[in-house]
Amino acid sequence: MKQDERLERLFKTYYQRMYRLARTMLYDADESRDVVSDVFAEIIRQQTVLLPETEEHYLMTSVRNRCRNVLQKKLIREQYRQHYLVEEESSESAIDTTELLHYVETHLSLQAQRIFHMRFIDEMTYQQIGDELGISKVAVYKHVSQSVELLRQKFYPKSKKEV
């Protein structure tokens, strides 16, 4: 069987499973498709020949590892964003903490408030918050990211810092 035929068979056989795994981990359809495409592109680039008895394990592990890399990059970007938020708070235009907490209590959902408090007041990690609330680190990340963005828009509307 030619390499093109093998790749086509792998694609038809495993694409949906690989995509579902990526989607479960990333909660993003486009990113999930990109991850799966990257796995197949790497197989082509490296001219990898997979043994029939290990091909599914190899493909699923590759998707899982790429998803973890994507999530790690997101967490790093979020840490930078948080750093800039703290930096802005300590600048001359620092906001009143009471006003910030009041805004959190009145504009965020109960779940987002809880996660915000656990992350910024209790200084818990994403993993600790996820374990405590029974949700994934990705869900925690999304809540934190959305909350920080909402606060940034309210208290620093002219700030355009990008990470």
Side-chain angles (χ1 to χ4, degrees), residues 65-87:
N65 290 340
R66 285 186 185 273
C67 288
R68 286 179 179 156
N69 290 343
V70 168
L71 293 172
Q72 185 64 35
K73 287 177 185 174
K74 281 183 176 183
L75 289 174
I76 289 168
R77 281 194 301 265
E78 182 58 34
Q79 289 171 346
Y80 280 122
R81 283 190 190 124
Q82 291 173 15
H83 171 75
Y84 285 123
L85 182 62
V86 169
E87 206 174 81

Side-chain angles (χ1 to χ4, degrees), residues 42-82:
E42 190 65 21
I43 289 171
I44 293 168
R45 193 172 20 259
Q46 298 291 326
Q47 297 181 347
T48 306
V49 177
L50 301 175
L51 300 172
E53 58 272 6
T54 61
E55 63 191 17
E56 181 177 12
H57 177 73
Y58 176 87
L59 293 170
M60 300 305 275
T61 300
S62 295
V63 168
R64 190 175 302 112
N65 290 340
R66 285 186 185 273
C67 288
R68 286 179 179 156
N69 290 343
V70 168
L71 293 172
Q72 185 64 35
K73 287 177 185 174
K74 281 183 176 183
L75 289 174
I76 289 168
R77 281 194 301 265
E78 182 58 34
Q79 289 171 346
Y80 280 122
R81 283 190 190 124
Q82 291 173 15

Side-chain angles (χ1 to χ4, degrees), residues 82-113:
Q82 291 173 15
H83 171 75
Y84 285 123
L85 182 62
V86 169
E87 206 174 81
E88 289 171 350
E89 286 178 358
S90 63
S91 70
E92 292 176 24
S93 62
I95 58 172
D96 181 8
T97 307
T98 308
E99 183 181 352
L100 176 90
L101 293 176
H102 176 72
Y103 191 81
V104 166
E105 291 173 2
T106 57
H107 289 82
L108 298 181
S109 68
L110 291 176
Q111 180 82 329
Q113 288 177 42

Side-chain angles (χ1 to χ4, degrees), residues 3 19 52 70 74 105 114 120 131-132 135 141 144 157:
Q3 177 70 6
Y19 174 75
V70 168
K74 281 183 176 183
E105 291 173 2
R114 207 166 160 202
F120 296 107
D131 292 344
E132 175 107 0
I135 60 176
Y141 165 80
V144 170

Side-chain angles (χ1 to χ4, degrees), residues 24-27 71 74-75 111-112 115 126 129-130 133-147:
T24 300
M25 292 181 74
L26 300 175
Y27 297 102
L71 293 172
K74 281 183 176 183
L75 289 174
Q111 180 82 329
I115 291 170
Y126 289 99
I129 296 168
L133 299 178
I135 60 176
S136 70
K137 285 192 327 187
V138 174
V140 174
Y141 165 80
K142 285 186 176 194
H143 279 288
V144 170
S145 180
Q146 290 169 352
S147 298

